[in-house]
Amino acid sequence: MKERLYLFDTTLRDGAQTNGVDFTLADKLAIARLLDDLGIDYVEGGYPGANPTDTELFGEARGLKTKFTAFGMTRRPGRSTANDPGLAALLEAKADAICFVAKAWDFHVRVALETTEEENIASIRDSVRAARQKGREVLLDCEHFFDGYKANPQYALACAKAAFDEGARWVVLCDTNGGTLPHEVEAIVGAVVKTIPGDHVAIHAHNDTEQAVANSLAAVRAGARQIQGTLNGLGERCGNANLVSIIPTLKLKPEFSGRFDIGVSEAQLKKLAQASHMLDERLNRGSDRYAPYVGENAFATKAGIHASAIAKEPATYEHVAPESVGNRRKVLVSEQAGRSNVLAELERIGIKVGKDDRRITRLLELVKERETIGYAYEAADASFELLARRTLGTVPNYFDVTQFDINVEQRNNAKGERVTVTMAVVKVKVGDDNMISAAEGNGPVNALDLALRKDLGKYQKYIDGLTLTDYRVRILNAGTEAVTRVLIESEDENGERWTTIGVSPNIIDASFQALMDSIVYKLVKSGAPA
Ligand SMILES: [Zn+2]
């Protein structure tokens, strides 16, 4: 029999402390559903009573399978539980579980809380009891537990024990400052589980020494049976333990998968990469391409000799199968590309071509030529695919842009404010039809994009679900002049993503190339007729 290990997500509470992150109610509900679909046992939604969004979030039952958890303080020192509005809001919340936060470091109790050690423990007991009486499952977050334990082990443990004795389901050992190292976590958790059974002990690690994931796993090795973390490691300062790295480690590494069951099934694990990207999408930021397991580069190989080995047997260079976490293998086609990279990539794309076909040599030459002037095909899979298809003669000429014109104007508006207005006009020829579209945008590239995708005649239906999710610009010195490299990331209605590239001394021209590639790629992919 395997032991059950529980996952607790705090993206919506601790993750909301991330610099630049501000969740709306709609964001919180969407992310809660995303986590629920992944099979996370507990989702901490926020701090009811502390702000209108969280109060509204907990104002009605949300019908999730996960245990939806409200977070808040224990009763204030010197007050009764019946006479504490903060605690009352928490007890009123439509939540399955309540996570109280309390100080577990005697120094903080005296200096920050300005109360006695005894009153702090009484507050823990009273608050846990009040929530238990309301029928809630209770967790106690022991703030600064590890630092507190180093300073005064008896007191830190007494705080945790008080909650456990009152019926708290979990005591959460928090590395609030994030400075504790894995061997210290393992030793301290090992000591705690002698007093409080490990299946009531949780770990909450911060990433200030980049070891939040390692600390979480060390705690499990020492006996803790709940891990707290966030999607993509969101969180204050350097972030919280990253559940997106922890989940596949628990599911795919025999040391953990052989001993523990978690709530995430194999089918749910396959949705992990998508969930990680969807969060970034909501936050309107680019995904980390170097993220373990789910990043675009997590299973990318560059050198020719590795690529030929991977084509023969993927396990030679991969620690887990990319499909298991919803990612995919990627063979980078770059300046140093060997024939084997190109062949492996063509096979993945589904282009059938003989190993000794002379067109492969032509394609390799083209890639090298273009990379010399600033293209980077390893970062632009869709542009590579189009280049390959064109070299092998299989991309229809769907439409021609016969002319475009962009006008940027700065003037005073009716209120006398200085505004910059951009308008693009695009002339497109589709078969015998000539179309003119115009659009205003917040900048020249945006206006050009909007105008270009406004009316493509019979092809419009294929690109309706197309959105641009990222736009990156770099100035390079290629040859004798500075050129601009534009990378555009697009997404379709099925959540599939691809990247296209454009290079030119003129940023508009480079953007136009990348936009065109993105649209043509989508038409090819959708099987649009010529
Ligand atoms: Zn925290």
Side-chain angles (χ1 to χ4, degrees), residues 13-14 204 206 240:
R13 199 272 301 171
D14 231 3
H204 177 107
H206 279 260
N240 285 53

Side-chain angles (χ1 to χ4, degrees), residues 97-378:
I98 292 177
C99 182
F100 288 109
V101 57
K103 306 222 176 274
W105 185 354
D106 57 352
F107 167 68
H108 271 257
V109 171
R110 288 191 305 270
V111 175
L113 221 51
E114 294 181 355
T115 187
T116 63
E117 294 179 12
E118 294 72 25
E119 172 61 5
N120 184 50
I121 285 186
S123 152
I124 292 172
R125 285 188 179 281
D126 294 347
S127 307
V128 172
R129 194 183 310 127
R132 293 286 299 133
Q133 279 164 2
K134 275 271 186 181
R136 301 290 194 278
E137 181 173 328
V138 182
L139 299 90
L140 182 81
D141 242 13
C142 302
E143 206 186 41
H144 295 290
F145 184 85
F146 291 91
D147 295 314
Y149 189 92
K150 286 182 206 169
N152 183 345
Q154 292 78 20
Y155 188 70
L157 207 48
C159 294
K161 185 77 170 30
F164 176 67
D165 288 344
E166 285 297 337
R169 171 68 184 84
W170 296 99
V171 293
V172 186
L173 312 183
C174 299
D175 185 25
T176 309
N177 290 348
T180 312
L181 300 175
H183 64 278
E184 298 174 302
V185 169
E186 196 159 348
I188 293 174
V189 173
V192 171
V193 298
K194 291 192 176 111
T195 306
I196 298 166
D199 57 0
H200 293 271
V201 173
I203 177 75
H204 177 107
H206 279 260
N207 202 31
D208 298 70
T209 71
E210 211 176 14
Q211 295 184 91
V213 169
N215 281 344
S216 304
L217 298 176
V220 171
R221 285 163 53 95
R225 292 296 174 257
Q226 186 198 94
I227 297 178
Q228 300 204 339
T230 59
L231 276 184
N232 297 347
L234 231 58
E236 208 171 6
R237 307 185 309 274
C238 316
N240 285 53
N242 185 358
L243 288 180
V244 175
S245 297
I246 289 173
I247 291 169
T249 300
L250 297 175
K251 285 291 285 181
L252 301 173
K253 298 294 172 184
E255 183 188 346
F256 295 100
S257 62
R259 287 179 63 197
F260 301 108
D261 276 326
I262 59 173
V264 181
S265 68
E266 272 170 44
Q268 287 165 320
L269 185 64
K270 287 197 169 76
K271 294 196 268 182
L272 189 67
Q274 198 192 5
S276 165
H277 296 150
M278 279 171 72
L279 179 72
D280 290 326
E281 189 77 1
R282 279 232 155 232
L283 297 174
N284 202 14
R285 64 181 200 182
S287 293
D288 175 8
R289 54 193 60 235
Y290 302 101
Y293 293 105
V294 298
E296 205 184 310
N297 281 321
F299 299 97
T301 316
K302 191 161 180 170
I305 122 166
H306 291 189
S308 54
I310 280 201
K312 283 184 209 132
E313 177 47 63
T316 47
Y317 285 95
E318 286 168 358
H319 72 118
V320 297
E323 301 77 26
S324 62
V325 292
N327 205 342
R328 66 176 172 86
R329 181 169 308 127
K330 192 169 156 191
V331 177
L332 302 177
V333 179
S334 75
E335 213 179 331
Q336 300 123 49
R339 221 181 162 81
S340 50
N341 291 53
V342 171
L343 281 167
E345 186 60 8
L346 290 178
E347 193 185 321
R348 191 193 64 75
I349 297 167
I351 300 180
K352 290 200 186 356
V353 56
K355 222 172 107 183
D356 300 314
D357 195 311
R358 266 190 296 180
R359 288 174 304 172
I360 303 283
T361 314
R362 176 72 198 122
L363 178 60
L364 265 170
E365 281 167 9
L366 260 177
V367 168
K368 284 179 186 172
E369 268 169 35
R370 293 171 73 90
E371 293 206 335
T372 316
I373 58 169
Y375 286 83
Y377 284 103
E378 64 183 59

